[in-house]
Amino acid sequence: MTSTPEATTSAPFSTIGIRTGALVFCGDDVALIRRDRADSTHYVPPGGNVEHGEDLAVALARELAEELDLDIDQAEGGDLMWVVDQRVTRPGPTPPPRKLHLIYRLHITPEVRATLAEVELDELPDGSHEVGVIEWIDYRTAAGLPIFPPVGPALAALPDPRAAVTDAALEAVTDDNYTWV
């Protein structure tokens, strides 16, 4: 069988990536990373991409250590709260992957919070770094924040930080309901 250019070029959403992230609570406050860009500001839960073949729990622990300096053994919980299916076209030459965001929940004490990072350096392809600021916000105010994946309304609707989540699947993020910034 001969290969055609169409067969060797990835189409949008033809690959699936997995990102683990965590809503790390300290009382009613939750840690989010604020990223300021030239045209926008947005927030993300601490976390990152799962490497090929990597265990999900190991990936989450690695990412939280990298971004927050958090030893996951100092946290309580670890339950999966939400899954968000992302199929959003984004700027750039690379076809966008489909990404599943797995959002976990952890709780820490004020003593542990006092030891955590205040900034996060995200390495860019050219070797430079984008600085993210770790902000602790009252989770009930999250609905009004530009958070990606867009978990703010579901987060703000929790009656308390330990409330049970009855439906882990949040609405898919697509070009119809989200514009990449």
Side-chain angles (χ1 to χ4, degrees), residues 95-119:
R98 180 176 185 178
K99 191 172 283 189
L100 296 178
H101 295 262
L102 307 178
I103 308 295
Y104 294 85
R105 173 174 34 195
L106 296 166
H107 299 275
I108 60 170
T109 64
E111 293 78 20
V112 170
R113 177 179 168 175
T115 68
L116 299 182
E118 295 179 6
V119 297

Side-chain angles (χ1 to χ4, degrees), residues 142-145 147 150-158:
L145 294 175
I147 301 174
V151 298
L155 178 58
L158 292 173

Side-chain angles (χ1 to χ4, degrees), residues 1-10:
M1 176 176 167
T2 59
S3 138
T4 63
E6 294 79 26
T8 59
T9 303
S10 291

Side-chain angles (χ1 to χ4, degrees):
M1 176 176 167
T2 59
S3 138
T4 63
E6 294 79 26
T8 59
T9 303
S10 291
F13 315 120
S14 63
T15 61
I16 297 176
I18 298 174
R19 183 185 190 280
T20 60
L23 295 169
V24 179
F25 287 92
C26 182
D28 287 340
D29 290 341
V30 64
L32 294 173
I33 300 172
R34 188 188 80 226
R35 300 207 187 281
D36 296 316
R37 302 221 167 113
D39 297 333
S40 67
T41 294
H42 71 277
Y43 293 82
V44 295
N49 293 325
V50 176
E51 296 172 6
H52 181 73
E54 187 175 24
D55 179 87
L56 296 175
V58 170
L60 182 63
R62 175 182 53 77
E63 287 292 342
L64 294 177
E66 289 174 5
E67 296 190 351
L68 295 180
D69 290 334
L70 175 62
D71 177 347
I72 204 165
D73 291 334
Q74 295 179 302
E76 173 192 339
D79 56 314
L80 180 64
M81 286 184 75
W82 295 305
V83 177
V84 180
D85 184 2
Q86 169 197 323
R87 294 175 308 247
V88 178
T89 305
R90 60 184 186 192
T94 306
R98 180 176 185 178
K99 191 172 283 189
L100 296 178
H101 295 262
L102 307 178
I103 308 295
Y104 294 85
R105 173 174 34 195
L106 296 166
H107 299 275
I108 60 170
T109 64
E111 293 78 20
V112 170
R113 177 179 168 175
T115 68
L116 299 182
E118 295 179 6
V119 297
E120 184 266 336
L121 300 177
D122 194 22
E123 188 170 355
L124 300 173
D126 67 2
S128 65
H129 291 88
E130 177 183 59
V131 177
V133 177
I134 312 299
E135 287 191 6
W136 291 88
I137 63 144
D138 185 310
Y139 79 94
R140 295 166 289 208
T141 66
L145 294 175
I147 301 174
F148 193 85
V151 298
L155 178 58
L158 292 173
D160 69 73
R162 296 179 182 271
V165 174
T166 57
D167 186 1
L170 294 182
E171 180 180 9
V173 181
T174 68
D175 288 333
D176 292 333
N177 63 15
Y178 187 83
T179 301
W180 194 267
V181 290

